[in-house]
Amino acid sequence: MLMNNLDVIVVGAGHAGIEAALAAVRLGARVLLLTSNLDHVGQMSCNPAIGGVGKGHLVKEIDALGGEMGLAIDETGIQFRTLNTRKGPAVRASRAQADKALYRQRMKSRLERTPGLGLRQGMVEQLLVAGRRVVGVVTETGERYEAGATVLTTGTFLRGLMHIGDAQMPGGRAGDLASRGLSAHLEALGLPVGRLKTGTCPRLDGRTIDFSRLEVQPGDLSPTPFSFRSAGLTQRQVPCHITWTTSQTHALIARNLERSAMYSGRIKSRGPRYCPSIEDKIVRFPDRERHQIFLEPEGLETVEIYPNGLSTSLPVDVQAAMVRTIPGLEQAEIVRPGYAIEYDFVDPRALHSSLECRTLERLFLAGQINGTTGYEEAAALGLMAGLNATRAVRAEPPVVLGRAEAYIGVMIDDLVSRGVGGEPYRMFTSRAEHRLLLREDNAHARLGGLATEIGLLDEPLARAVEARAQEAASLRALLQSTLIRPADETNQALTERASSPIRQPVRAIDLLRRPEADWALLRTLGVELPTDVESHHLSVLLDLKYAGYVDRQRVLADQVAGLDATLIPAWLDLSTLPGLSAEVRERLTGARPSTLGQAARAPGITPAAVATIALHLRRRAGERSRGGA
């Protein structure tokens, strides 16, 4: 592919960069993807897994928008599990272990086989800026590439500094160089650059682990693919194992805390609160007798094991001794030490909801440069940045997902209106106030129509999404029209399910609302259902069972949507607005909300303050209307 007449340049080929580039290409853009190391495209730098609570929801939404992550994990996953099966449907989530090498190879092959996408190795050091618009990039070797829009997905590479005990090594991750010049260049352009920290676990030689002493954690007997497009799961499935730290582990860590980069003062920035290092766990939870460790295989053709829960920045000798205090790991050998890494990010409050910079047109940011942590968060942001970068080049309005439409919308709104609060942002279902509307099972029903409308789905996939929606509508009509009449056989079947017998005809749709009723019961009662109803139409079942709650959340969502639809124009100076306290004005100036909804969700902003802003907007609108008349 020729490197001229480019529409979009994507910098970085991690999970954000991959989705950004592919989203832009699906819209017909000519895209260049630049990365510092072509051998590490799609690298899983930390745990070898995709999904989890909140994160699995993001992957399903990425898939509904035509993204690649769900397909990739389905093709390379070696254990699939559904989490929270005993809890409500809003928090049930999918998670899969990946063969890391296969995942990386599969993603690189996908990029290389994509028409309209150029893949090049190079470290970007500067942006080309004309006025207040970014028009391209310059690499460290002086190569210049120009395009209509640029997406930065730099991960942990901006002034990345790795810590293992007293040792400090510049790097974006183990084995890769850090980006030194770009971060300073972004600061010089006026972007608010901060510092965050994350970390990873040592990798163990599986041949030195006594698995006979460990608890086996198998995958699901009938695993469910992530992607709507998957033909099935093809890789051999393997178990994980569970072990625990001991009092000896905790005592050893406590004796060596001053040798940890985290507790020696060498690391100043904060890491993700919900993915703490083992040192953090010992300090923050001194009364806990043990902490769980999940031993996760890194692939089918490697002996490396990832001990999830053992992230650390202790010196290598302490890491080795620590590992050997854990049951089953008494003889375990470390093949790669764990480390902490500090890196620069840009305060996401400097972005519009489209992920475009407020002060630099046509520059979009996605992934850990936005202050997030996690492959799934990065991929979701990358997809939206690639989408909106392409639309900006075409002078089309950005696509902004609402908080009641998608977890992606919740995440972006949180980031641009609240920032990250000094620690990396991670997606949880608890962050969504309408999470019963945002289940994994209805992601395509929520987003498939939009994806088709804006061109993210090709024609065959768009037809498949529409066909699934029509099937769901037909199924609901069938349930509404089917009567189940009282009979001895019917009531016996109901009694066996601990369900009340019926004395008069009941519609199948009403019977299915009973907590104990399911598709199998309807089949027992003679209702002719589609053969794929269990796998394809879970959302129909759950919408019926939780109809009252779902309806109430929709009403609340509609009320909030009114605030989100009320724009705060640039000409309204919130820093001098009468009727607001100095503290509220300061908070609003920092948050820079673009809608009343964002103002309402900003930290420390009261309903009275929102009402004051709304009053000023109505008054100014009236004044302008009278002036125009």
Side-chain angles (χ1 to χ4, degrees):
M1 173 181 168
L2 296 176
M3 293 297 103
N4 51 19
N5 297 319
L6 293 170
D7 296 306
V8 177
I9 295 171
V10 177
V11 179
H15 306 280
I18 289 169
E19 297 294 350
L22 291 176
V25 168
R26 289 200 302 281
L27 295 177
R30 290 172 54 85
V31 179
L32 170 63
L33 179 56
L34 280 165
T35 180
S36 61
N37 190 337
L38 281 173
D39 293 328
H40 290 171
V41 169
Q43 175 79 327
M44 290 182 164
S45 306
C46 197
N47 64 309
I50 295 293
V53 179
K55 293 171 174 284
H57 294 73
L58 289 175
V59 180
K60 296 281 188 174
E61 293 177 356
I62 292 167
D63 189 65
L65 294 169
E68 198 68 19
M69 179 172 271
L71 273 175
I73 187 60
D74 286 348
E75 293 180 18
T76 63
I78 56 178
Q79 189 196 88
F80 289 75
R81 295 179 62 223
T82 302
L83 309 180
N84 289 340
T85 55
R86 297 181 181 179
K87 297 183 179 180
V91 297
R92 292 175 197 158
S94 303
R95 187 177 188 272
Q97 296 296 134
D99 184 308
K100 289 176 61 170
L102 283 178
Y103 188 94
R104 185 176 66 244
Q105 293 162 11
R106 190 261 181 214
M107 280 302 200
K108 185 181 181 187
S109 175
R110 175 70 174 88
L111 295 174
E112 290 174 337
R113 292 182 291 106
T114 299
L117 172 59
L119 190 59
R120 296 290 186 274
Q121 184 164 297
M123 180 79 78
V124 171
E125 290 290 289
Q126 288 189 344
L127 302 176
L128 295 172
V129 182
R132 299 306 298 171
R133 174 172 290 186
V134 172
V135 296
V137 301
V138 182
T139 71
E140 62 181 354
T141 57
E143 295 170 289
R144 296 165 61 94
Y145 299 99
E146 297 184 8
T150 300
V151 182
L152 295 184
T153 69
T154 51
T156 59
F157 283 73
L158 292 182
R159 285 196 289 230
L161 184 64
M162 297 181 293
H163 299 262
I164 304 176
D166 294 329
Q168 296 181 342
M169 299 141 287
R173 59 181 165 226
D176 281 319
L177 298 175
S179 171
R180 307 302 299 173
L182 183 57
S183 192
H185 180 64
L186 295 177
E187 285 183 307
L189 290 173
L191 293 180
V193 175
R195 197 91 169 136
L196 289 173
K197 170 260 174 189
T198 189
T200 190
C201 303
R203 271 55 162 191
L204 309 179
D205 185 336
R207 296 168 298 186
T208 62
I209 296 173
D210 184 357
F211 289 103
S212 67
R213 301 189 55 203
L214 306 180
E215 177 185 342
V216 178
Q217 185 190 54
D220 292 345
L221 290 176
S222 300
T224 303
F226 271 92
S227 178
F228 173 73
R229 294 164 280 170
S230 289
L233 308 178
T234 59
Q235 300 299 328
R236 176 167 58 89
Q237 301 295 287
V238 298
C240 296
H241 292 79
I242 298 173
T243 186
W244 303 81
T245 59
T246 64
S247 58
Q248 290 82 9
T249 315
H250 300 185
L252 176 67
I253 293 170
R255 289 196 304 270
N256 288 278
L257 269 181
E258 75 283 355
R259 299 185 66 194
S260 164
M262 281 288 297
Y263 285 89
S264 65
R266 285 182 291 278
I267 294 179
K268 306 296 184 183
S269 47
R270 290 176 60 184
R273 187 189 327 172
Y274 299 102
C275 188
S277 68
I278 189 65
E279 298 98 293
D280 271 338
K281 293 177 185 177
I282 302 308
V283 171
R284 289 166 51 189
F285 309 106
D287 298 330
R288 289 279 295 274
E289 294 183 358
R290 61 181 191 169
H291 295 278
Q292 195 171 55
I293 307 296
F294 292 92
L295 298 178
E296 303 171 346
E298 296 224 321
L300 298 175
E301 302 298 330
T302 179
V303 299
E304 291 190 47
I305 301 293
Y306 182 90
N308 197 335
L310 213 56
S311 176
T312 183
S313 63
L314 286 162
V316 176
D317 63 310
V318 180
Q319 292 187 37
M322 171 185 69
V323 164
R324 293 187 171 189
T325 64
I326 297 172
L329 308 184
E330 291 88 351
Q331 304 300 319
E333 297 284 350
I334 292 176
V335 295
R336 304 176 197 242
Y339 59 88
I341 181 168
E342 290 184 287
Y343 58 95
D344 287 349
F345 79 107
V346 174
D347 188 334
R349 290 175 295 181
L351 306 177
H352 294 295
S353 296
S354 63
L355 300 180
E356 185 177 19
C357 288
R358 293 176 184 266
T359 57
L360 288 170
E361 294 178 13
R362 304 288 180 85
L363 177 64
F364 295 76
L365 308 185
Q368 285 177 287
I369 193 174
N370 294 9
T372 62
T373 181
Y375 311 144
E376 304 82 1
E377 289 89 343
L381 291 170
L383 190 152
M384 297 305 296
L387 161 65
N388 283 325
T390 305
R391 291 178 68 87
V393 171
R394 296 175 177 175
E396 296 173 349
V399 173
V400 177
L401 298 175
R403 296 181 70 91
E405 286 183 281
Y407 274 96
I408 297 174
V410 173
M411 174 173 59
I412 293 176
D413 184 68
D414 282 349
L415 290 170
V416 302
S417 62
R418 303 175 185 176
V420 297
E423 64 180 271
Y425 178 98
R426 179 179 177 180
M427 176 49 69
F428 293 100
T429 54
S430 58
R431 294 189 186 275
E433 55 271 51
H434 310 298
R435 58 182 175 270
L436 197 53
L437 303 179
L438 306 180
R439 307 185 307 270
E440 273 196 8
D441 61 88
N442 65 8
H444 284 85
R446 287 185 278 117
L447 299 173
L450 172 66
T452 298
E453 178 185 340
I454 61 180
L456 282 173
L457 305 185
D458 60 25
E459 188 174 342
L461 186 54
R463 287 199 303 267
V465 170
E466 177 60 25
R468 182 71 65 87
Q470 291 177 357
E471 290 169 7
S474 297
L475 177 59
R476 283 188 287 267
L478 172 68
L479 296 172
Q480 181 70 32
S481 62
T482 300
L483 284 177
I484 298 173
R485 303 183 184 279
D488 291 342
E489 297 84 355
T490 297
N491 285 329
Q492 180 179 349
L494 291 171
T495 301
E496 289 173 354
R497 288 293 193 99
S499 190
S500 302
I502 58 175
R503 305 301 178 196
Q504 56 188 9
V506 175
R507 287 188 175 88
I509 198 169
D510 295 323
L511 188 63
L512 201 56
R513 297 182 200 275
R514 295 185 179 187
E516 65 279 0
D518 57 15
W519 300 121
L521 175 60
L522 290 191
R523 282 200 175 95
T524 300
L525 299 179
V527 180
E528 294 186 5
L529 297 170
T531 56
D532 61 358
V533 68
E534 286 87 358
S535 59
H536 286 185
H537 297 298
L538 177 61
S539 59
V540 173
L541 177 66
L542 295 179
D543 280 342
L544 288 174
K545 288 190 178 297
Y546 295 91
Y549 300 104
V550 169
D551 289 344
R552 283 197 289 274
Q553 285 206 358
R554 285 202 176 105
V555 169
L556 292 174
D558 289 343
Q559 293 172 351
V560 173
L563 290 176
D564 284 328
T566 305
L567 298 177
I568 299 176
W571 50 258
L572 186 65
D573 187 357
L574 297 176
S575 65
T576 60
L577 203 64
L580 299 177
S581 68
E583 179 186 358
V584 167
R585 286 199 295 269
E586 181 180 350
R587 288 180 179 272
L588 287 171
T589 301
R592 301 170 73 179
S594 57
T595 69
L596 279 183
Q598 286 186 355
R601 291 186 290 272
I605 304 304
T606 63
V610 176
T612 299
I613 299 171
L615 178 61
H616 280 281
L617 288 174
R618 287 195 296 270
R619 285 177 176 172
R620 291 294 293 271
E623 291 170 1
R624 292 188 168 209
S625 176
R626 289 192 295 274

